[in-house]
Amino acid sequence: MSEIAYLLRLLAPGDKEAKVTAVTVTDTATKFTSQLTEGYSRKHIKVYNNSDNSCHGCFYGFSSDITESNNSYPIPKGKEIIIPISTDIDIYFVSCSGEVGDLRVEEIA
């Protein structure tokens, strides 16, 4: 696939595969592994924070050293966020110190 065709495909709506995965996170960074089965490139993910923990939410980042206060972005409890990220970039999730987070990750290809 040419680079232009690849870039145009990332701009188009998902039309190949969709997958929802439950992810349990702790205060140690958890790398998310794509669950797409046909080898398609992910266009984006949507993350819903289904946690009932007492802290203010879970967090995501792009390196294994993320913490709730370092190199991370919040995913508020009861909210969802869309992250336009392909399968080529690693994404990590973490919860508040000492608590377990419950996320639902939807991947679109």
Side-chain angles (χ1 to χ4, degrees):
M1 178 183 304
S2 75
E3 184 176 351
I4 291 175
Y6 174 77
L7 293 172
L8 288 173
R9 181 168 142 48
L10 289 177
L11 294 174
D15 60 355
K16 301 295 183 199
E17 187 178 5
K19 179 77 175 176
V20 176
T21 306
V23 178
T24 301
V25 295
T26 64
D27 55 1
T28 301
T30 301
K31 180 180 175 182
F32 178 74
T33 303
S34 176
Q35 301 300 305
L36 297 175
T37 59
E38 300 298 323
Y40 296 116
S41 292
R42 178 175 59 216
K43 294 182 177 190
H44 72 267
I45 62 175
K46 185 181 343 181
V47 182
Y48 175 73
N49 187 346
N50 195 43
S51 303
D52 62 359
N53 54 19
S54 62
C55 76
H56 46 277
C58 294
F59 304 85
Y60 77 93
F62 303 107
S63 64
S64 60
D65 66 345
I66 67 165
T67 64
E68 65 181 289
S69 60
N70 180 41
N71 297 323
S72 64
Y73 298 93
I75 308 167
K77 186 168 38 173
K79 303 291 182 183
E80 68 181 22
I81 60 167
I82 296 174
I83 307 167
I85 188 170
S86 79
T87 359
D88 300 334
I89 299 174
D90 293 337
I91 187 164
Y92 295 82
F93 298 109
V94 69
S95 186
C96 298
S97 181
E99 298 200 14
V100 175
D102 177 25
L103 303 175
R104 298 295 182 271
V105 179
E106 176 187 63
E107 297 178 274
I108 302 294

